[in-house]
Amino acid sequence: MINFIPFFKRKDFDDGVEEPEEVKHFNSFGEGYDYYLSHYRTSMGWYHTRDQAKFYVASDEKTEVKDTRDIPFDMIRVKGLEDKNIIESKTLAETHIFNEADIDGTIVSTGCDHLINGNFNKWVDENDFDIAIPLRRKSRVNNALIIQKKRTKNTIDFFNYRLEKFYELKKENRAWYGDQKSYESIFLEKGILTKGVKGSGRLGLHNIMGCKILIIPYGGDVVGTNIDDIYGHYFFPNALFFDYKGGRKAKYKIGLERAKAKYKENKGNFSDNDDFINFNNNNTNE
């Protein structure tokens, strides 16, 4: 079972919690997070049966997400986020999801502005790892998705240590990208990255704290990046997962249409597509 779990906390700019400038532009690109989550979930159903995947949204105790077709989301509520900024909330929620949440199977922790472009189960089954983390240009962690294959004592220790590294960062450094920099701190410490050397990242399988950590490229077979400006083609058309970070959100709509067209074109190739998840059913996880 693959559990896709994006984090989303609706920002109240009158809550008195200080945020970096980037968060103030949260909704300045594209269609908005309810729209992204709705279509992200729908795209999961294109390639997974009910026995293969589930979809949850991790959030604080008050955020409500409205699906474009009024189909409820299954929520994972994380306590204690009301006085935390967005990045700290995301980091705490991710730690809870990986270490404590009542979830069986593989966990794919993500953001919101994504699309699924293939079945994850085969890739997970065929690769030997405990945790998979993307590295962009062999230089920087991009946690558009973090995959935990199975929860163990060692994975719990790893994510707790990552949380320690997050709080070791200066407040101004963790307010934006702190969720990613905390992973980088571990990689620098363990020699997977070399400080000050671009492109020094070592892809592949590494043993960290007894965990098999698989470093995958951001831009490849698993995570694909945005579409180009001229032809609207994906740079990594066969990636399982598309990410629309920052200004790329402006391309989400055309990306969605292209992904939908590909799914319809290839639908006949799936032997068991009658059992794929149909999100016209109000109870999405059953």
Side-chain angles (χ1 to χ4, degrees):
M1 178 64 71
I2 308 289
N3 299 279
F4 293 92
I5 310 180
F7 171 79
F8 175 59
K9 175 184 175 182
R10 201 175 301 282
K11 178 60 185 175
D12 176 4
F13 288 100
D14 296 321
D15 62 7
V17 177
E18 185 178 353
E19 297 282 1
E21 193 65 28
E22 291 86 348
V23 173
K24 297 175 184 177
H25 302 293
F26 228 38
N27 295 312
S28 60
F29 304 106
E31 303 294 330
Y33 285 88
D34 299 270
Y35 177 88
Y36 303 138
L37 286 166
S38 298
H39 291 289
Y40 175 14
R41 180 174 66 173
T42 297
S43 68
M44 182 198 78
W46 293 342
Y47 295 100
H48 298 85
T49 68
R50 296 184 186 282
D51 293 333
Q52 292 178 327
K54 293 183 178 181
F55 192 96
Y56 303 87
V57 177
S59 190
D60 59 9
E61 294 185 282
K62 66 178 184 179
T63 293
E64 297 297 335
V65 186
K66 184 175 176 57
D67 179 82
T68 55
R69 290 170 296 178
D70 294 325
I71 303 169
F73 285 94
D74 293 288
M75 304 293 293
I76 298 175
R77 300 292 185 182
V78 182
K79 297 180 179 179
L81 303 184
E82 61 277 354
D83 60 345
K84 307 295 192 297
N85 69 20
I86 292 294
I87 293 300
E88 185 175 5
S89 296
K90 181 179 185 294
T91 305
L92 288 167
E94 192 170 70
T95 306
H96 172 81
I97 290 163
F98 284 134
N99 288 358
E100 301 179 50
D102 186 16
I103 298 292
D104 292 325
T106 296
I107 292 173
V108 182
S109 176
T110 74
C112 304
D113 40 5
H114 310 300
L115 289 170
I116 302 297
N117 189 52
N119 184 288
F120 266 72
N121 298 69
K122 185 173 185 289
W123 184 87
V124 169
D125 290 343
E126 290 180 352
N127 285 274
D128 180 28
F129 69 97
D130 295 316
I131 300 167
I133 302 174
L135 206 58
R136 184 173 182 266
R137 296 178 179 175
K138 296 185 179 180
S139 297
R140 297 183 63 180
V141 168
N142 185 300
N143 62 341
L145 86 171
I146 305 290
I147 306 173
Q148 176 179 272
K149 192 168 187 177
K150 182 181 178 181
R151 182 184 296 160
T152 67
K153 181 184 182 302
N154 288 339
T155 64
I156 291 171
D157 290 343
F158 176 84
F159 285 114
N160 284 336
Y161 189 55
R162 180 264 182 138
L163 187 61
E164 289 178 23
K165 289 297 184 184
F166 176 81
Y167 283 113
E168 286 177 8
L169 295 168
K170 293 181 179 179
K171 185 177 180 181
E172 60 271 21
N173 289 337
R174 67 174 184 254
W176 192 246
Y177 291 130
D179 53 336
Q180 299 178 169
K181 291 175 182 176
S182 50
Y183 287 115
E184 291 170 9
S185 295
I186 298 175
F187 291 171
L188 288 166
E189 181 182 277
K190 303 299 181 181
I192 294 171
L193 288 172
T194 302
K195 189 173 183 179
V197 181
K198 289 184 177 180
S200 65
R202 296 163 52 213
L203 301 177
L205 199 62
H206 303 270
N207 190 305
I208 301 179
M209 302 176 64
C211 290
K212 290 180 282 189
I213 306 294
L214 181 61
I215 310 301
I216 60 177
Y218 177 87
D221 293 339
V222 181
V223 186
T225 54
N226 58 309
I227 57 181
D228 67 51
D229 292 332
I230 299 174
Y231 299 107
H233 295 161
Y234 282 109
F235 294 138
F236 300 91
N238 296 318
L240 295 174
F241 181 93
F242 290 132
D243 176 37
Y244 294 82
K245 187 176 290 292
R248 298 174 193 162
K249 292 180 181 64
K251 300 292 183 180
Y252 189 93
K253 206 166 194 175
I254 186 173
L256 173 64
E257 292 307 312
R258 290 189 176 276
K260 192 181 296 183
K262 177 190 172 184
Y263 158 69
K264 289 179 179 178
E265 180 181 339
N266 295 321
K267 186 176 181 182
N269 297 331
F270 303 121
S271 60
D272 58 353
N273 60 55
D274 286 344
D275 195 37
F276 280 15
I277 303 170
N278 180 353
F279 284 100
N280 290 320
N281 183 334
N282 284 345
N283 199 342
T284 58
N285 279 342
E286 290 186 3

mmCIF file of all heavy atoms in Angstrom, residues 8-10 12 19 43 68 78 92-93 106 108 131 134 136 146 159 204 212 249 254 267 275 283:
data_model
loop_
_atom_site.group_PDB
_atom_site.id
_atom_site.type_symbol
_atom_site.label_atom_id
_atom_site.label_comp_id
_atom_site.label_asym_id
_atom_site.label_seq_id
_atom_site.Cartn_x
_atom_site.Cartn_y
_atom_site.Cartn_z
ATOM 1 N N PHE A 8 -0.717 20.452 4.080
ATOM 2 C CA PHE A 8 -1.258 21.773 3.753
ATOM 3 C C PHE A 8 -1.845 22.406 5.001
ATOM 4 O O PHE A 8 -2.697 21.809 5.663
ATOM 5 C CB PHE A 8 -2.343 21.687 2.678
ATOM 6 C CG PHE A 8 -3.013 23.011 2.404
ATOM 7 C CD1 PHE A 8 -2.268 24.103 1.977
ATOM 8 C CD2 PHE A 8 -4.368 23.179 2.595
ATOM 9 C CE1 PHE A 8 -2.864 25.334 1.730
ATOM 10 C CE2 PHE A 8 -4.981 24.393 2.353
ATOM 11 C CZ PHE A 8 -4.228 25.483 1.925
ATOM 12 N N LYS A 9 -1.381 23.592 5.308
ATOM 13 C CA LYS A 9 -1.932 24.393 6.399
ATOM 14 C C LYS A 9 -2.340 25.736 5.801
ATOM 15 O O LYS A 9 -1.514 26.456 5.245
ATOM 16 C CB LYS A 9 -0.878 24.591 7.487
ATOM 17 C CG LYS A 9 -1.296 25.514 8.619
ATOM 18 C CD LYS A 9 -0.132 25.714 9.602
ATOM 19 C CE LYS A 9 -0.469 26.714 10.685
ATOM 20 N NZ LYS A 9 0.677 26.952 11.604
ATOM 21 N N ARG A 10 -3.634 26.058 5.902
ATOM 22 C CA ARG A 10 -4.104 27.315 5.340
ATOM 23 C C ARG A 10 -3.594 28.472 6.189
ATOM 24 O O ARG A 10 -3.819 28.508 7.401
ATOM 25 C CB ARG A 10 -5.636 27.333 5.258
ATOM 26 C CG ARG A 10 -6.148 28.358 4.234
ATOM 27 C CD ARG A 10 -7.658 28.282 4.084
ATOM 28 N NE ARG A 10 -8.143 26.987 3.651
ATOM 29 C CZ ARG A 10 -8.093 26.552 2.393
ATOM 30 N NH1 ARG A 10 -7.577 27.305 1.450
ATOM 31 N NH2 ARG A 10 -8.571 25.365 2.076
ATOM 32 N N ASP A 12 -3.325 31.938 7.881
ATOM 33 C CA ASP A 12 -4.082 33.104 8.336
ATOM 34 C C ASP A 12 -3.072 34.208 8.617
ATOM 35 O O ASP A 12 -2.301 34.123 9.576
ATOM 36 C CB ASP A 12 -4.867 32.759 9.601
ATOM 37 C CG ASP A 12 -5.600 33.954 10.190
ATOM 38 O OD1 ASP A 12 -5.561 35.045 9.576
ATOM 39 O OD2 ASP A 12 -6.200 33.805 11.270
ATOM 40 N N GLU A 19 6.088 35.139 9.263
ATOM 41 C CA GLU A 19 6.426 34.293 8.127
ATOM 42 C C GLU A 19 7.444 35.013 7.241
ATOM 43 O O GLU A 19 7.479 36.241 7.190
ATOM 44 C CB GLU A 19 5.185 33.988 7.281
ATOM 45 C CG GLU A 19 4.104 33.198 7.987
ATOM 46 C CD GLU A 19 4.414 31.708 8.081
ATOM 47 O OE1 GLU A 19 5.493 31.281 7.615
ATOM 48 O OE2 GLU A 19 3.569 30.972 8.623
ATOM 49 N N SER A 43 -5.272 12.362 -9.915
ATOM 50 C CA SER A 43 -4.235 11.735 -10.745
ATOM 51 C C SER A 43 -3.690 10.474 -10.094
ATOM 52 O O SER A 43 -3.278 9.537 -10.789
ATOM 53 C CB SER A 43 -3.102 12.727 -11.028
ATOM 54 O OG SER A 43 -2.360 13.036 -9.856
ATOM 55 N N THR A 68 -12.611 20.216 -5.510
ATOM 56 C CA THR A 68 -13.331 20.889 -6.594
ATOM 57 C C THR A 68 -14.665 20.234 -6.903
ATOM 58 O O THR A 68 -15.527 20.845 -7.530
ATOM 59 C CB THR A 68 -12.474 20.907 -7.873
ATOM 60 O OG1 THR A 68 -12.090 19.569 -8.210
ATOM 61 C CG2 THR A 68 -11.215 21.745 -7.670
ATOM 62 N N VAL A 78 -2.593 17.159 13.051
ATOM 63 C CA VAL A 78 -1.399 17.201 13.889
ATOM 64 C C VAL A 78 -1.563 18.333 14.904
ATOM 65 O O VAL A 78 -1.826 19.481 14.529
ATOM 66 C CB VAL A 78 -0.134 17.416 13.041
ATOM 67 C CG1 VAL A 78 1.117 17.404 13.929
ATOM 68 C CG2 VAL A 78 -0.035 16.338 11.958
ATOM 69 N N LEU A 92 7.298 19.496 11.471
ATOM 70 C CA LEU A 92 6.726 18.758 12.600
ATOM 71 C C LEU A 92 5.693 17.739 12.114
ATOM 72 O O LEU A 92 5.643 16.606 12.604
ATOM 73 C CB LEU A 92 6.096 19.731 13.588
ATOM 74 C CG LEU A 92 7.068 20.572 14.414
ATOM 75 C CD1 LEU A 92 6.333 21.702 15.120
ATOM 76 C CD2 LEU A 92 7.806 19.703 15.431
ATOM 77 N N ALA A 93 4.871 18.152 11.155
ATOM 78 C CA ALA A 93 3.851 17.237 10.631
ATOM 79 C C ALA A 93 4.492 16.048 9.929
ATOM 80 O O ALA A 93 4.048 14.904 10.091
ATOM 81 C CB ALA A 93 2.922 17.984 9.675
ATOM 82 N N THR A 106 3.881 1.945 2.794
ATOM 83 C CA THR A 106 4.817 2.986 2.364
ATOM 84 C C THR A 106 4.169 4.351 2.440
ATOM 85 O O THR A 106 2.993 4.519 2.093
ATOM 86 C CB THR A 106 5.280 2.687 0.920
ATOM 87 O OG1 THR A 106 6.012 1.457 0.915
ATOM 88 C CG2 THR A 106 6.157 3.796 0.375
ATOM 89 N N VAL A 108 4.474 8.346 1.208
ATOM 90 C CA VAL A 108 5.055 9.340 0.310
ATOM 91 C C VAL A 108 4.600 10.702 0.826
ATOM 92 O O VAL A 108 3.458 11.115 0.611
ATOM 93 C CB VAL A 108 4.610 9.124 -1.153
ATOM 94 C CG1 VAL A 108 5.284 10.145 -2.070
ATOM 95 C CG2 VAL A 108 4.934 7.710 -1.609
ATOM 96 N N ILE A 131 14.426 4.832 3.156
ATOM 97 C CA ILE A 131 13.972 6.205 2.930
ATOM 98 C C ILE A 131 14.591 6.693 1.619
ATOM 99 O O ILE A 131 15.791 6.491 1.387
ATOM 100 C CB ILE A 131 14.406 7.137 4.082
ATOM 101 C CG1 ILE A 131 13.803 6.661 5.417
ATOM 102 C CG2 ILE A 131 13.989 8.583 3.801
ATOM 103 C CD1 ILE A 131 14.435 7.325 6.632
ATOM 104 N N PRO A 134 15.155 13.093 -2.695
ATOM 105 C CA PRO A 134 15.678 13.654 -3.949
ATOM 106 C C PRO A 134 16.754 14.721 -3.706
ATOM 107 O O PRO A 134 16.683 15.507 -2.762
ATOM 108 C CB PRO A 134 14.455 14.293 -4.602
ATOM 109 C CG PRO A 134 13.274 13.797 -3.838
ATOM 110 C CD PRO A 134 13.767 13.531 -2.461
ATOM 111 N N ARG A 136 18.662 17.782 -5.912
ATOM 112 C CA ARG A 136 18.577 18.584 -7.146
ATOM 113 C C ARG A 136 19.985 18.988 -7.591
ATOM 114 O O ARG A 136 20.732 19.598 -6.825
ATOM 115 C CB ARG A 136 17.713 19.822 -6.884
ATOM 116 C CG ARG A 136 17.468 20.678 -8.118
ATOM 117 C CD ARG A 136 16.456 21.774 -7.794
ATOM 118 N NE ARG A 136 16.157 22.599 -8.940
ATOM 119 C CZ ARG A 136 16.771 23.736 -9.218
ATOM 120 N NH1 ARG A 136 17.725 24.188 -8.407
ATOM 121 N NH2 ARG A 136 16.436 24.431 -10.287
ATOM 122 N N ILE A 146 9.277 12.804 -0.053
ATOM 123 C CA ILE A 146 10.170 11.943 0.722
ATOM 124 C C ILE A 146 9.426 10.621 0.895
ATOM 125 O O ILE A 146 8.265 10.614 1.310
ATOM 126 C CB ILE A 146 10.510 12.538 2.106
ATOM 127 C CG1 ILE A 146 11.104 13.953 1.974
ATOM 128 C CG2 ILE A 146 11.455 11.606 2.868
ATOM 129 C CD1 ILE A 146 12.483 14.010 1.373
ATOM 130 N N PHE A 159 14.404 10.335 11.501
ATOM 131 C CA PHE A 159 13.547 11.517 11.382
ATOM 132 C C PHE A 159 13.571 12.371 12.649
ATOM 133 O O PHE A 159 13.426 13.599 12.575
ATOM 134 C CB PHE A 159 12.128 11.112 10.989
ATOM 135 C CG PHE A 159 12.011 10.729 9.544
ATOM 136 C CD1 PHE A 159 11.712 9.424 9.176
ATOM 137 C CD2 PHE A 159 12.226 11.662 8.546
ATOM 138 C CE1 PHE A 159 11.621 9.060 7.846
ATOM 139 C CE2 PHE A 159 12.133 11.304 7.202
ATOM 140 C CZ PHE A 159 11.844 10.002 6.851
ATOM 141 N N GLY A 204 22.550 7.431 -5.014
ATOM 142 C CA GLY A 204 22.620 6.007 -4.726
ATOM 143 C C GLY A 204 22.302 5.694 -3.280
ATOM 144 O O GLY A 204 21.763 6.526 -2.542
ATOM 145 N N LYS A 212 18.845 2.494 5.271
ATOM 146 C CA LYS A 212 19.257 2.514 3.874
ATOM 147 C C LYS A 212 18.606 3.740 3.220
ATOM 148 O O LYS A 212 17.406 3.744 2.938
ATOM 149 C CB LYS A 212 18.825 1.221 3.188
ATOM 150 C CG LYS A 212 19.597 0.004 3.656
ATOM 151 C CD LYS A 212 19.153 -1.278 2.977
ATOM 152 C CE LYS A 212 17.870 -1.811 3.570
ATOM 153 N NZ LYS A 212 17.528 -3.165 3.070
ATOM 154 N N LYS A 249 3.916 26.854 -10.720
ATOM 155 C CA LYS A 249 2.480 26.614 -10.536
ATOM 156 C C LYS A 249 1.656 27.213 -11.668
ATOM 157 O O LYS A 249 0.555 26.742 -11.957
ATOM 158 C CB LYS A 249 2.022 27.199 -9.194
ATOM 159 C CG LYS A 249 2.576 26.497 -7.971
ATOM 160 C CD LYS A 249 2.071 27.162 -6.700
ATOM 161 C CE LYS A 249 2.632 26.508 -5.457
ATOM 162 N NZ LYS A 249 4.098 26.643 -5.354
ATOM 163 N N ILE A 254 -1.920 23.555 -17.636
ATOM 164 C CA ILE A 254 -1.574 22.914 -18.903
ATOM 165 C C ILE A 254 -0.922 21.561 -18.659
ATOM 166 O O ILE A 254 -1.127 20.605 -19.401
ATOM 167 C CB ILE A 254 -0.653 23.829 -19.760
ATOM 168 C CG1 ILE A 254 -0.429 23.204 -21.139
ATOM 169 C CG2 ILE A 254 0.670 24.102 -19.085
ATOM 170 C CD1 ILE A 254 0.311 24.111 -22.102
ATOM 171 N N LYS A 267 -4.951 4.336 -21.253
ATOM 172 C CA LYS A 267 -5.816 3.633 -20.313
ATOM 173 C C LYS A 267 -6.046 2.184 -20.712
ATOM 174 O O LYS A 267 -6.111 1.288 -19.861
ATOM 175 C CB LYS A 267 -7.154 4.371 -20.203
ATOM 176 C CG LYS A 267 -8.082 3.811 -19.131
ATOM 177 C CD LYS A 267 -9.344 4.663 -19.009
ATOM 178 C CE LYS A 267 -10.262 4.113 -17.927
ATOM 179 N NZ LYS A 267 -11.515 4.904 -17.818
ATOM 180 N N ASP A 275 -10.813 -1.355 -11.642
ATOM 181 C CA ASP A 275 -10.709 -1.232 -10.187
ATOM 182 C C ASP A 275 -9.907 -0.011 -9.775
ATOM 183 O O ASP A 275 -9.617 0.178 -8.607
ATOM 184 C CB ASP A 275 -10.056 -2.502 -9.600
ATOM 185 C CG ASP A 275 -10.254 -2.593 -8.087
ATOM 186 O OD1 ASP A 275 -11.341 -2.201 -7.622
ATOM 187 O OD2 ASP A 275 -9.327 -3.025 -7.387
ATOM 188 N N ASN A 283 -16.506 8.116 -0.502
ATOM 189 C CA ASN A 283 -15.588 7.447 0.432
ATOM 190 C C ASN A 283 -14.367 7.007 -0.342
ATOM 191 O O ASN A 283 -14.317 5.923 -0.885
ATOM 192 C CB ASN A 283 -16.272 6.247 1.102
ATOM 193 C CG ASN A 283 -15.538 5.858 2.371
ATOM 194 O OD1 ASN A 283 -14.394 6.225 2.586
ATOM 195 N ND2 ASN A 283 -16.224 5.114 3.220
#
